[in-house]
Amino acid sequence: MQKFKILLIILLTFLYIFIEKQEYFGYNNQRTWQHFTYMFFHANIFHLMGNCLAIYFIIYKGKIYYLLPLIYIISVVGSYIDYTSVTTLGISSSIFAMVGINTYFFRKRIGYIVMILLVGFLTPHINGMIHFICFALGYFSSMIITLIKKTENDCRRFN
């Protein structure tokens, strides 16, 4: 898990350093492909550092790496739901999807989660709607995963 976090942070840093015009890759509902790339690019070094710290601390002990395809899909779907003309960048939508998943699975950390949500929703110049959408989609998808696993276990028990 530690290796995964470090590799993701290195990838984001590499993209920030070597690709110019990051805002070109952010979505603003003008180009379809931007909905698939916006999460890998950042507005400035502070934006990148904040997201890297969030990745490092949010992906804790939980085995969330097997959910990465789901988290990516949540981020893409969330960007289509959030119709905005403001260019949106950063992996924070995926981070909020992870927080939503962790909120359902690890309900004991409510104070920590509330703090993250307030920062993500109320900070100026941040697209709080994409954060809310991805958090909600992450939470509901983890509910569905739990129901599917419970149903599978019940079916095995009765067979």
Side-chain angles (χ1 to χ4, degrees):
M1 194 50 155
Q2 190 72 14
K3 291 178 186 178
F4 167 74
K5 288 192 261 188
I6 292 171
L7 285 174
L8 184 57
I9 290 169
I10 289 171
L11 171 69
L12 293 173
T13 306
F14 178 81
L15 290 172
Y16 180 77
I17 292 171
F18 292 107
I19 296 186
E20 294 180 20
K21 298 197 178 195
Q22 300 271 315
E23 64 276 354
Y24 182 69
F25 294 95
Y27 81 89
N28 55 9
N29 290 315
Q30 292 181 357
R31 297 177 188 91
T32 302
W33 60 270
Q34 291 174 330
H35 293 274
F36 298 91
T37 61
Y38 77 96
M39 62 204 78
F40 300 108
F41 301 95
H42 293 81
N44 56 43
I45 192 71
F46 301 110
H47 184 207
L48 174 67
M49 288 178 6
N51 281 340
C52 287
L53 282 171
I55 288 168
Y56 189 79
F57 289 113
I58 288 175
I59 305 176
Y60 61 93
K61 299 180 187 176
K63 295 181 178 178
I64 204 145
Y65 55 87
Y66 73 94
L67 293 172
L68 285 178
L70 174 65
I71 291 167
Y72 181 76
I73 291 168
I74 287 171
S75 297
V76 172
V77 170
S79 71
Y80 277 105
I81 293 171
D82 176 37
Y83 192 81
T84 181
S85 61
V86 177
T87 302
T88 301
L89 292 165
I91 200 164
S92 57
S93 60
S94 297
I95 291 169
F96 275 86
M98 287 184 242
V99 170
I101 290 168
N102 286 341
T103 300
Y104 188 77
F105 288 138
F106 307 107
R107 294 183 201 135
K108 297 176 185 173
R109 299 179 176 259
I110 294 298
Y112 171 72
I113 292 165
V114 167
M115 182 189 71
I116 292 171
L117 294 175
L118 286 175
V119 168
F121 297 149
L122 301 177
T123 306
H125 308 293
I126 289 183
N127 187 351
M129 187 53 70
I130 188 75
H131 292 168
F132 176 75
I133 290 168
C134 289
F135 173 82
L137 289 173
Y139 187 84
F140 291 123
S141 64
S142 62
M143 286 175 57
I144 292 168
I145 290 169
T146 303
L147 288 172
I148 290 170
K149 286 182 180 180
K150 184 179 178 192
T151 305
E152 286 176 354
N153 290 338
D154 289 345
C155 289
R156 286 186 193 131
R157 190 173 54 188
F158 292 117
N159 287 334

